[in-house]
Amino acid sequence: MTWDLIRKIGRQAVTPNLIDYQDECRGFSWHAARRSLFHGTPGGRGLNMAYEAVDRHLESPRCDHVALQCIGRDGRVTELTYLDLHVATNRFANTLRGLEISRGDRVFTLLGRVPELYVAVLGTLKNVSVLSPLFSAFGPEPICERLRLGEGRVLVTTPDLYARKISVIRESLPGLEHVLVTGDGPAPDGTLLLSELMEQASGQFEIPPTAPEDMALLHFTSGTTGTPKGAIHVHDALVAHRMTAMYALDLRPSDVFWCTADPGWVTGMSYGVIAPLTFGLTLVVDAGEFDARRWYRILQDQHVTVWYTSPTALRMLMRRGDALPREYDLSRLRFIASVGEPLNPEVTVWGARTLGQPVHDNWWQTETGAIMISNYAAMDIKPGSMGRPLPGIEAALLERGADGRARVVNGHVRVITDPEVEGELALRPGWPSMFRGYLGQPERYAKAFAGGWYLSGDIARKDEDGYFWFVARADDVIKSAGHLIGPFEVESMLMEHPAVAEAGVIGKPDPVAGELVKAFVTLNPGYEPGEPLRLELIAFARRRLGAVAPKEIAFDQNLPHTRSGKVMRRLLKARELGLPEGDVSTLEHPAR
Ligand code: ATP
Ligand code: MG
């Protein structure tokens, strides 16, 4: 029943002018894509992300089209056209030039989702300097660590964030030469007022020659499994941003697109700034926090047509029930996609039922820079599956060794050819947005490759139709009484129970089984935690999963999430075992 529904709606979402997936795959080459999409900046100046996202539109009627539709925390909307963005980013680039910041120098942002952030990002890229975005909710320590590792010379922030988080670490950062603050001033001591500098700067700027391999972005990973890594991305990544946005998100110039991810995280940059602007479409930016009513209102009032969000956000909306979205007119919405964590089939089905569109899951990483595997717009969705590799992407599953990762013998690995066999998900290097290194950690980078493959650290399986199914992060796999269990399967099964809104599953050391499966569950409104429900959930799980069902279930209305919206299983485990919590700088609610 569920499957029929998804199939039906999935097909309706297919738009007639989409190119056939198989054909496209066969003829696809990144080289050709690059040539046909971008003709280089005028005068053969290479490939610059900001040129393609902003300046290219000046030659077309899109010049006066709204590029950014920024919703403030108070709900006030500020609009910037492509022309506005062109002038503002030129002023920012000139400001950097005036401060003697040039090619390759690192500019950090610590801002909420405000217009200045987008201006700083694109202005930095115009100057061929390197942009590194930080989550504004970071505390002083993670900020300091990243600024030091990334050798930040400039930081753009708000006076308030400066006072609370930067002033205390400023002295320990001698390399940080300039702090630019937003607002009307006066600027706190030791900082410069951005608006003043920009006013003095010229609105004309000539983008210097930019090589595709010039470094553009420095992105720190989510830190779900340990210390965050700084992934280096270059201007050429743009080719992948744009092509994947076309295939996996079905973006077109007429769209109003809302990506809910913060630009502090790779999704919020690749698909929250760069890719959508290259289409000349209108990008919705919300400075506010998650709130179910606010979000439905944005979808309705801004006439959002394509929406890119995360499983956590969707699960939170689900928790608020089916009646709420019916109060809003969501009829403009034609495509929904999700990333960051496994998308429970339950959520895909809920989207189809209550939002009128199924949710298209896709998989990628900070390291890959762009979507790699996706429930492509032109194919049937399989609920619970990540989809198939996009054109130009070769993905495979590699046989694993005793440590659960790909087995490497004399530099060789073995590709699994049979369907339904679990292995480490690997990608053939060569796509444009592939990371070019972990900053300052060459050994860690080298270890990410073997036998001609990039090793993702995720375990997956592939079905006969070529769809990939996420099993677990290699570090999260639970070994219980001879079974290897991926937490996701158990979590998704628990979510099928009406009481369960979200679940986090871990392995807990056990003298007999090696590890036993323990689940932490968040309940939907109207359900009481207690012994009867606990026993009911254990029985429910056992009926469905048999031996691999959780032996222990605990109630937790506040599962720890990273700021990019992932359940932090490693933290659940550390807390359960009374171990040190490790690096929790990317935790969403540190004061629990
Ligand atoms: P760190 O590498 O610091 O531990 P992280 O891996 O969470 O953090 P990201 O690059 O933000 O940092 O996330 C990529 C990971 O997110 C993937 O390797 C995968 O484990 C998970 N992920 C992303 N999308 C999906 C998806 N659609 N289904 C399942 N897992 C996903
Ligand atoms: Mg990772």
Side-chain angles (χ1 to χ4, degrees):
M1 176 62 199
T2 297
W3 275 77
D4 286 350
L5 178 71
I6 279 292
R7 284 241 167 80
K8 204 167 122 234
I9 295 172
R11 274 206 207 100
Q12 281 172 1
V14 174
T15 31
N17 56 345
L18 271 171
I19 313 143
D20 175 64
Y21 177 72
Q22 295 297 339
D23 281 356
E24 186 64 11
C25 245
R26 246 173 262 132
F28 187 90
S29 92
W30 287 112
H31 183 64
R34 187 179 290 116
R35 264 223 325 258
S36 68
L37 281 176
F38 309 108
H39 313 111
T41 45
R45 288 201 194 86
L47 186 70
N48 183 289
M49 283 184 174
Y51 176 83
E52 300 300 336
V54 185
D55 293 4
R56 179 173 290 281
H57 306 298
L58 296 181
E59 297 152 18
S60 74
R62 295 217 93 66
C63 174
D64 295 321
H65 195 69
V66 174
L68 296 180
Q69 187 92 6
C70 299
I71 307 162
R73 279 173 181 272
D74 57 2
R76 268 218 319 253
V77 178
T78 315
E79 288 182 353
L80 267 83
T81 63
Y82 278 92
L83 180 61
D84 296 335
L85 201 54
H86 165 74
V87 176
T89 50
N90 281 354
R91 289 186 190 279
F92 189 89
N94 278 318
T95 299
L96 289 181
R97 201 174 263 180
L99 296 171
E100 295 185 358
I101 299 300
S102 55
R103 186 183 296 273
D105 290 337
R106 316 281 157 68
V107 177
F108 278 68
T109 50
L110 180 74
L111 291 164
R113 287 181 294 269
V114 291
E116 289 92 335
L117 171 67
Y118 297 80
V119 170
V121 168
L122 295 160
T124 300
L125 294 171
K126 279 190 171 179
N127 196 42
V128 206
S129 303
V130 176
L131 192 281
S132 187
L134 299 170
F135 278 109
S136 57
F138 273 151
E141 215 165 287
I143 293 171
C144 189
E145 191 188 341
R146 286 164 176 78
L147 276 166
R148 194 176 295 138
L149 187 67
E151 296 172 13
R153 286 186 66 190
V154 177
L155 172 70
V156 188
T157 188
T158 66
D160 173 54
L161 288 168
Y162 180 79
R164 288 193 288 124
K165 306 181 177 188
I166 306 301
S167 55
V168 287
I169 55 171
R170 187 77 195 270
E171 278 194 359
S172 55
L173 291 166
L176 183 60
E177 292 161 40
H178 308 286
V179 177
L180 315 184
V181 295
T182 56
D184 303 325
D189 277 355
T191 69
L192 299 166
L193 197 60
L194 178 64
S195 57
E196 220 167 73
L197 295 175
M198 282 184 52
E199 227 165 82
Q200 291 157 8
S202 158
Q204 311 251 330
F205 183 86
E206 200 175 314
I207 298 178
T210 311
E213 287 302 310
D214 276 333
M215 184 169 166
L217 297 161
L218 175 65
H219 266 298
F220 290 94
T221 62
S222 293
T224 312
T225 49
T227 327
K229 301 150 270 194
I232 296 169
H233 289 285
V234 298
H235 279 269
D236 199 36
L238 170 74
V239 180
H241 293 160
R242 160 126 185 166
M243 294 308 289
T244 54
M246 199 161 91
Y247 294 130
L249 304 176
D250 196 23
L251 286 190
R252 296 135 197 239
S254 54
D255 277 316
V256 176
F257 175 60
W258 183 25
C259 169
T260 62
D262 191 286
W265 179 41
V266 68
T267 305
M269 191 60 71
S270 300
Y271 301 100
V273 186
I274 313 292
L277 294 179
T278 68
F279 288 87
L281 54 68
T282 297
L283 189 61
V284 173
V285 172
D286 177 32
E289 297 304 321
F290 175 84
D291 172 82
R293 278 195 178 278
R294 181 186 178 97
W295 278 32
Y296 286 132
R297 203 174 311 119
I298 291 174
L299 290 172
Q300 170 187 272
D301 293 353
Q302 306 303 325
H303 299 164
V304 173
T305 55
V306 179
W307 188 34
Y308 196 22
T309 189
S310 69
T312 308
L314 290 164
R315 287 192 295 255
M316 289 202 283
L317 289 176
M318 267 176 81
R319 255 164 96 179
R320 292 296 306 274
D322 289 9
L324 193 59
R326 300 220 166 89
E327 292 178 26
Y328 299 84
D329 175 9
L330 307 177
S331 58
R332 309 278 178 122
L333 207 50
R334 66 172 185 83
F335 196 85
I336 307 176
S338 154
V339 71
E341 264 214 307
L343 183 70
N344 321 81
E346 202 60 19
V347 182
T348 306
V349 177
W350 173 82
R353 196 178 64 229
T354 56
L355 306 178
Q357 295 297 334
V359 185
H360 299 248
D361 189 19
N362 58 60
W363 175 94
W364 57 294
Q365 305 181 306
T366 307
E367 289 86 342
T368 70
I371 301 168
M372 297 283 106
I373 295 178
S374 136
N375 278 281
Y376 202 75
M379 68 199 217
D380 281 345
I381 292 177
K382 289 200 184 190
S385 156
M386 307 189 285
R388 294 195 297 203
L390 288 182
I393 302 301
E394 187 185 351
L397 298 170
L398 305 182
E399 285 184 10
R400 294 189 292 160
D403 65 351
R405 300 286 310 264
R407 189 192 302 117
V408 186
V409 182
N410 297 331
H412 294 284
V413 293
R414 286 177 74 147
V415 172
I416 296 169
T417 48
D418 291 338
E420 304 297 348
V421 179
E422 290 177 9
E424 179 166 357
L425 179 54
L427 301 162
R428 185 75 81 190
W431 68 96
S433 64
M434 154 106 187
F435 73 134
R436 303 296 199 267
Y438 289 125
L439 191 76
Q441 298 179 297
E443 311 81 35
R444 203 167 187 182
Y445 179 68
K447 267 172 90 179
F449 299 87
W453 295 92
Y454 162 69
L455 313 177
S456 73
D458 285 347
I459 309 303
R461 59 191 164 78
K462 188 164 86 168
D463 68 18
E464 277 182 341
D465 300 327
Y467 283 66
F468 284 73
W469 298 74
F470 183 83
V471 176
R473 289 162 176 275
D475 306 8
D476 281 345
V477 174
I478 303 166
K479 300 182 189 77
S480 183
H483 301 283
L484 289 177
I485 303 162
F488 169 56
E489 193 185 351
V490 182
E491 289 159 9
S492 285
M493 185 281 307
L494 284 167
M495 276 189 64
E496 283 173 29
H497 190 282
V500 179
E502 187 164 41
V505 165
I506 60 162
K508 186 176 161 182
D510 178 79
V512 181
E515 279 185 306
L516 65 78
V517 180
K518 172 155 186 172
F520 297 83
V521 300
T522 302
L523 296 180
N524 276 316
Y527 289 91
E528 279 301 310
E531 203 49 19
L533 183 55
R534 205 181 61 81
L535 293 175
E536 185 184 321
L537 288 176
I538 288 184
F540 176 81
R542 193 162 305 148
R543 271 199 307 278
R544 292 176 182 230
L545 293 175
V548 305
K551 298 273 186 301
E552 289 184 20
I553 291 186
F555 298 106
D556 185 342
Q557 287 305 99
N558 222 343
L559 288 176
H561 290 101
T562 64
R563 292 189 198 290
S564 51
K566 301 158 194 279
V567 175
M568 253 178 156
R569 296 181 193 83
R570 108 180 127 81
L571 193 55
L572 282 173
K573 190 161 178 171
R575 285 176 181 168
E576 177 69 23
L577 305 182
L579 297 171
E581 295 197 343
D583 184 340
V584 289
S585 54
T586 58
L587 183 62
E588 180 71 65
H589 302 292
R592 248 183 100 226

